[in-house]
Coordinates of all heavy atoms in Angstrom, one line a residue:
K1 N -16.6 91.8 3.7 CA -17.1 92.1 5.0 C -18.0 93.4 5.0 O -17.6 94.4 4.4 CB -16.0 92.3 6.0 CG -16.5 92.4 7.4 CD -15.5 92.3 8.5 CE -16.1 92.3 9.9 NZ -15.0 92.1 10.9
N2 N -19.2 93.3 5.5 CA -20.2 94.4 5.7 C -20.7 94.8 4.3 O -21.5 95.8 4.3 CB -19.6 95.6 6.4 CG -19.0 95.2 7.8 OD1 -19.6 94.4 8.4 ND2 -17.9 95.8 8.2
E3 N -20.4 94.1 3.2 CA -20.8 94.6 1.9 C -22.3 94.6 1.7 O -22.8 95.5 1.1 CB -20.1 93.8 0.8 CG -20.4 94.3 -0.6 CD -19.5 93.6 -1.7 OE1 -18.9 92.6 -1.4 OE2 -19.4 94.2 -2.8
F4 N -22.9 93.6 2.2 CA -24.4 93.5 2.0 C -25.1 94.7 2.5 O -25.9 95.3 1.8 CB -24.9 92.2 2.7 CG -26.3 91.9 2.4 CD1 -26.8 91.7 1.1 CD2 -27.2 91.8 3.5 CE1 -28.1 91.3 0.9 CE2 -28.6 91.5 3.2 CZ -29.0 91.2 1.9
E5 N -24.8 95.0 3.8 CA -25.4 96.2 4.4 C -25.1 97.5 3.8 O -25.9 98.4 3.5 CB -25.1 96.2 5.9 CG -25.6 95.0 6.7 CD -24.7 93.8 6.5 OE1 -23.6 93.9 6.0 OE2 -25.2 92.7 6.9
E6 N -23.8 97.7 3.4 CA -23.3 98.9 2.9 C -23.9 99.2 1.5 O -24.2 100.3 1.1 CB -21.8 98.9 2.8 CG -21.1 99.0 4.2 CD -19.6 98.8 4.2 OE1 -19.1 98.6 3.1 OE2 -19.0 98.9 5.2
V7 N -23.9 98.1 0.7 CA -24.5 98.3 -0.7 C -26.0 98.6 -0.7 O -26.4 99.5 -1.4 CB -24.2 97.0 -1.5 CG1 -25.0 97.0 -2.8 CG2 -22.7 96.9 -1.9
L8 N -26.7 97.9 0.2 CA -28.1 98.2 0.3 C -28.4 99.7 0.8 O -29.3 100.3 0.3 CB -28.8 97.3 1.3 CG -29.1 95.9 0.8 CD1 -29.6 95.0 1.9 CD2 -30.1 95.9 -0.4
K9 N -27.5 100.2 1.6 CA -27.6 101.6 2.0 C -27.4 102.5 0.9 O -28.1 103.5 0.7 CB -26.5 101.8 3.1 CG -26.6 103.2 3.8 CD -25.5 103.3 4.8 CE -25.5 104.8 5.4 NZ -24.4 104.9 6.4
I10 N -26.4 102.2 0.0 CA -26.2 103.1 -1.2 C -27.4 103.0 -2.1 O -27.8 104.0 -2.7 CB -24.9 102.7 -1.9 CG1 -23.7 103.1 -1.0 CG2 -24.7 103.4 -3.2 CD1 -22.3 102.6 -1.5
Y11 N -27.9 101.8 -2.3 CA -29.1 101.7 -3.2 C -30.2 102.5 -2.7 O -31.0 103.1 -3.5 CB -29.5 100.2 -3.3 CG -28.6 99.3 -4.1 CD1 -28.5 98.0 -3.9 CD2 -27.8 99.9 -5.1 CE1 -27.7 97.2 -4.7 CE2 -26.9 99.1 -5.9 CZ -26.9 97.7 -5.7 OH -26.1 96.9 -6.4
K12 N -30.4 102.5 -1.4 CA -31.5 103.3 -0.8 C -31.2 104.8 -1.0 O -32.1 105.6 -1.4 CB -31.5 103.1 0.7 CG -32.8 103.7 1.4 CD -32.9 103.2 2.8 CE -34.2 103.8 3.5 NZ -34.3 103.4 4.9
Q13 N -29.9 105.3 -0.9 CA -29.6 106.7 -1.1 C -29.9 107.1 -2.6 O -30.3 108.2 -2.9 CB -28.1 106.9 -0.9 CG -27.7 106.8 0.6 CD -26.2 106.9 0.8 OE1 -25.4 106.9 -0.1 NE2 -25.8 106.8 2.1
L14 N -29.7 106.1 -3.5 CA -29.9 106.4 -4.9 C -31.4 106.3 -5.3 O -31.8 106.6 -6.4 CB -29.2 105.4 -5.8 CG -27.6 105.5 -5.8 CD1 -27.0 104.3 -6.4 CD2 -27.2 106.8 -6.4
G15 N -32.2 105.9 -4.3 CA -33.7 105.8 -4.6 C -34.1 104.6 -5.3 O -35.2 104.5 -5.8
L16 N -33.2 103.6 -5.4 CA -33.5 102.4 -6.1 C -34.4 101.4 -5.3 O -34.3 101.4 -4.1 CB -32.3 101.6 -6.5 CG -31.3 102.3 -7.4 CD1 -30.1 101.5 -7.7 CD2 -31.9 102.8 -8.7
N17 N -35.3 100.8 -6.0 CA -36.3 99.8 -5.4 C -35.6 98.5 -5.4 O -35.8 97.7 -6.3 CB -37.6 99.8 -6.2 CG -38.6 98.8 -5.7 OD1 -38.6 98.4 -4.6 ND2 -39.5 98.4 -6.6
V18 N -34.9 98.2 -4.3 CA -34.1 96.9 -4.2 C -34.4 96.1 -3.0 O -34.5 96.7 -1.9 CB -32.6 97.3 -4.2 CG1 -31.7 96.0 -4.1 CG2 -32.2 98.1 -5.5
K19 N -34.6 94.8 -3.2 CA -34.8 93.9 -2.1 C -33.5 93.2 -1.8 O -32.9 92.5 -2.7 CB -35.9 92.9 -2.4 CG -36.2 91.9 -1.3 CD -37.3 90.9 -1.7 CE -37.6 89.9 -0.6 NZ -38.6 89.0 -1.0
G20 N -33.0 93.2 -0.6 CA -31.9 92.4 -0.2 C -32.3 91.0 0.3 O -33.3 90.9 1.1
V21 N -31.6 90.0 -0.1 CA -32.0 88.6 0.2 C -30.8 87.9 0.9 O -29.7 87.7 0.2 CB -32.4 87.8 -1.0 CG1 -32.8 86.4 -0.6 CG2 -33.6 88.5 -1.8
D22 N -30.9 87.6 2.1 CA -29.8 86.9 2.8 C -29.9 85.4 2.5 O -30.8 84.7 3.0 CB -29.9 87.1 4.4 CG -28.8 86.4 5.1 OD1 -28.1 85.6 4.6 OD2 -28.7 86.7 6.3
A23 N -29.0 84.9 1.6 CA -29.1 83.5 1.2 C -27.8 82.8 1.5 O -27.4 81.8 0.9 CB -29.4 83.4 -0.3
K24 N -27.1 83.2 2.5 CA -25.8 82.7 2.9 C -25.9 81.1 3.1 O -25.1 80.4 2.5 CB -25.2 83.3 4.1 CG -24.8 84.8 3.9 CD -23.9 85.3 5.1 CE -24.7 85.5 6.3 NZ -25.6 86.7 6.2
E25 N -26.8 80.7 3.9 CA -26.9 79.3 4.2 C -27.2 78.4 3.0 O -26.7 77.3 2.8 CB -28.0 79.0 5.3 CG -27.7 79.7 6.6 CD -26.3 79.3 7.1 OE1 -25.9 78.2 7.0 OE2 -25.6 80.3 7.7
H26 N -28.0 79.0 2.0 CA -28.3 78.2 0.8 C -27.0 78.0 0.0 O -26.7 76.9 -0.5 CB -29.2 79.1 -0.1 CG -29.6 78.5 -1.4 ND1 -30.5 77.4 -1.6 CD2 -29.1 78.7 -2.7 CE1 -30.5 77.1 -2.8 NE2 -29.7 77.9 -3.5
F27 N -26.1 79.0 0.0 CA -24.9 78.9 -0.8 C -23.9 78.0 -0.1 O -23.2 77.2 -0.7 CB -24.3 80.3 -1.1 CG -24.9 81.0 -2.2 CD1 -26.0 81.8 -1.9 CD2 -24.5 80.9 -3.5 CE1 -26.7 82.5 -2.9 CE2 -25.1 81.6 -4.5 CZ -26.2 82.4 -4.2
Y28 N -23.8 78.1 1.3 CA -22.8 77.3 2.0 C -23.2 75.8 1.9 O -22.3 75.0 1.8 CB -22.8 77.7 3.5 CG -22.2 79.0 3.8 CD1 -22.6 79.8 4.9 CD2 -21.2 79.6 3.0 CE1 -22.1 81.0 5.1 CE2 -20.7 80.8 3.2 CZ -21.1 81.5 4.3 OH -20.6 82.8 4.6
S29 N -24.5 75.5 1.8 CA -24.9 74.1 1.7 C -24.5 73.6 0.3 O -24.1 72.4 0.1 CB -26.4 73.9 1.9 OG -27.2 74.6 0.9
K30 N -24.7 74.4 -0.8 CA -24.3 74.0 -2.1 C -22.8 73.9 -2.3 O -22.3 73.1 -3.1 CB -24.8 75.1 -3.1 CG -26.3 75.1 -3.4 CD -26.7 76.0 -4.4 CE -26.3 75.6 -5.8 NZ -27.1 74.5 -6.4
L31 N -22.0 74.6 -1.5 CA -20.6 74.6 -1.6 C -19.9 73.5 -0.7 O -18.7 73.3 -0.9 CB -20.0 76.0 -1.2 CG -20.2 77.1 -2.3 CD1 -20.0 78.5 -1.6 CD2 -19.3 76.9 -3.5
A32 N -20.7 73.0 0.2 CA -20.1 72.0 1.1 C -19.4 70.9 0.4 O -19.9 70.3 -0.5 CB -21.2 71.5 2.0
G33 N -18.1 70.6 0.8 CA -17.4 69.5 0.2 C -16.7 69.8 -1.1 O -16.0 68.9 -1.6
K34 N -17.0 70.9 -1.7 CA -16.5 71.2 -3.1 C -15.1 71.9 -2.9 O -15.0 72.9 -2.2 CB -17.4 72.1 -3.9 CG -18.7 71.3 -4.3 CD -19.6 72.2 -5.2 CE -20.7 71.4 -5.8 NZ -21.5 70.7 -4.8
T35 N -14.1 71.4 -3.7 CA -12.8 72.0 -3.6 C -12.3 72.4 -5.0 O -11.4 73.3 -5.1 CB -11.7 71.0 -3.1 OG1 -11.7 69.8 -3.8 CG2 -12.1 70.7 -1.6
D36 N -12.9 71.8 -6.1 CA -12.5 72.2 -7.4 C -13.0 73.6 -7.8 O -14.2 73.9 -7.6 CB -13.1 71.2 -8.4 CG -12.7 71.5 -9.9 OD1 -11.6 71.3 -10.3 OD2 -13.6 72.0 -10.6
P37 N -12.1 74.5 -8.3 CA -12.5 75.9 -8.6 C -13.7 76.0 -9.5 O -14.6 76.8 -9.3 CB -11.3 76.5 -9.2 CG -10.1 75.6 -8.8 CD -10.7 74.3 -8.6
E38 N -13.7 75.1 -10.6 CA -14.8 75.2 -11.5 C -16.1 74.8 -10.9 O -17.2 75.3 -11.1 CB -14.5 74.4 -12.8 CG -15.3 74.8 -14.0 CD -15.3 76.3 -14.3 OE1 -14.2 76.9 -14.2 OE2 -16.3 76.8 -14.8
E39 N -16.1 73.7 -10.0 CA -17.3 73.3 -9.3 C -17.8 74.4 -8.4 O -19.0 74.6 -8.3 CB -17.0 72.0 -8.6 CG -16.9 70.8 -9.4 CD -16.8 69.5 -8.6 OE1 -17.0 69.6 -7.3 OE2 -16.4 68.4 -9.1
K40 N -16.9 75.1 -7.7 CA -17.3 76.1 -6.8 C -18.0 77.3 -7.6 O -19.0 77.8 -7.2 CB -16.1 76.7 -6.0 CG -15.6 75.7 -5.0 CD -14.6 76.3 -4.0 CE -13.3 76.7 -4.6 NZ -12.4 77.2 -3.6
R41 N -17.4 77.6 -8.7 CA -17.9 78.7 -9.6 C -19.4 78.3 -10.0 O -20.3 79.1 -10.0 CB -17.1 78.9 -10.8 CG -15.8 79.7 -10.6 CD -15.0 79.8 -11.8 NE -13.7 80.5 -11.6 CZ -13.6 81.8 -11.8 NH1 -14.7 82.6 -12.1 NH2 -12.4 82.4 -11.5
K42 N -19.5 77.1 -10.5 CA -20.8 76.6 -11.0 C -21.8 76.6 -9.8 O -23.0 76.9 -10.0 CB -20.7 75.2 -11.6 CG -20.0 75.2 -13.0 CD -19.9 73.9 -13.5 CE -19.2 73.9 -14.9 NZ -18.9 72.5 -15.4
A43 N -21.4 76.2 -8.6 CA -22.3 76.1 -7.5 C -22.8 77.5 -7.1 O -24.0 77.8 -6.8 CB -21.6 75.5 -6.3

């Protein structure tokens, strides 16, 4: 929880040139219906 925002904030403090990409929906669609652990890892 809140990791995406908090990590980007630390990267900014360190002066790193980092782009944050919100791809939650992409992953949720790939994971839909999958229950096997290895399939989830691969997805």
Side-chain angles (χ1 to χ4, degrees):
K1 187 170 185 178
N2 303 325
E3 182 168 20
F4 186 60
E5 296 77 16
E6 290 171 0
V7 167
L8 283 174
K9 184 178 176 183
I10 291 175
Y11 286 157
K12 189 173 182 180
Q13 290 170 0
L14 292 170
L16 299 180
N17 176 23
V18 179
K19 178 181 180 181
V21 182
D22 182 348
K24 290 194 287 286
E25 296 308 319
H26 178 78
F27 284 88
Y28 291 151
S29 66
K30 286 183 70 74
L31 288 163
K34 290 183 170 58
T35 57
D36 178 75
E38 199 54 35
E39 283 188 14
K40 291 194 291 183
R41 284 177 180 271
K42 286 177 180 173

